[in-house]
Amino acid sequence: VVDDYADNRTLLRAWLAHWGCETVEAADGAAALAIACAGGAAFDAVLLDLQMPGMDGDELAVRLRDDPRLRDVPRLLLTSLGGRRSTQQLAAAGFHGALEKPLRPHELRRLL
């Protein structure tokens, strides 16, 4: 879970834990890359906020996609900006799916 707002990470962590998932959190793109590239940890999915300071979700998704060790890990976009993206636009940006905020647990679970 990569989001610069701690409250969002806390909420996502609670939902995911309720569904039996283990989570790793990062407050920004650089920290997420450091965690993901450190090795030893396998991820089933990465939830990325779009708007973050420094490296935004779009840039982080591309960098994760371009790393051979992380290429196949699904990347899911979380955004409050609206403006739905087509499947092709999401794929070009390195995402496998997207949800608009405010998030709804049933929609997140369905997407996962």
Side-chain angles (χ1 to χ4, degrees):
V1 175
V2 186
D3 195 312
D4 56 318
Y5 287 103
D7 290 345
N8 291 342
R9 293 191 313 271
T10 299
L11 178 64
L12 287 167
R13 180 180 59 239
W15 290 349
L16 292 165
H18 181 73
W19 301 330
C21 302
E22 294 179 31
T23 60
V24 176
E25 301 172 34
D28 57 49
L33 279 177
I35 292 167
C37 294
F43 298 97
D44 295 312
V46 180
L47 306 177
L48 305 171
D49 183 39
L50 178 61
Q51 288 187 288
M52 294 184 290
M55 185 185 316
D56 67 12
D58 280 328
E59 181 182 350
L60 177 56
V62 169
R63 292 185 65 180
L64 292 171
R65 179 193 65 199
D66 291 346
D67 186 313
R69 298 166 295 177
L70 304 167
R71 177 174 297 135
D72 296 326
V73 177
R75 294 164 302 277
L76 308 175
L77 173 67
L78 309 176
T79 179
S80 56
L81 291 179
R84 294 186 181 268
R85 295 181 182 185
S86 70
T87 302
Q88 294 81 10
Q89 289 170 319
L90 286 169
F95 293 104
H96 293 84
L99 287 176
E100 290 185 27
K101 294 178 182 179
L103 299 175
R104 292 165 186 83
H106 67 280
E107 290 176 353
L108 177 59
R109 186 166 179 149
R110 179 186 48 77
L111 185 61
L112 288 170

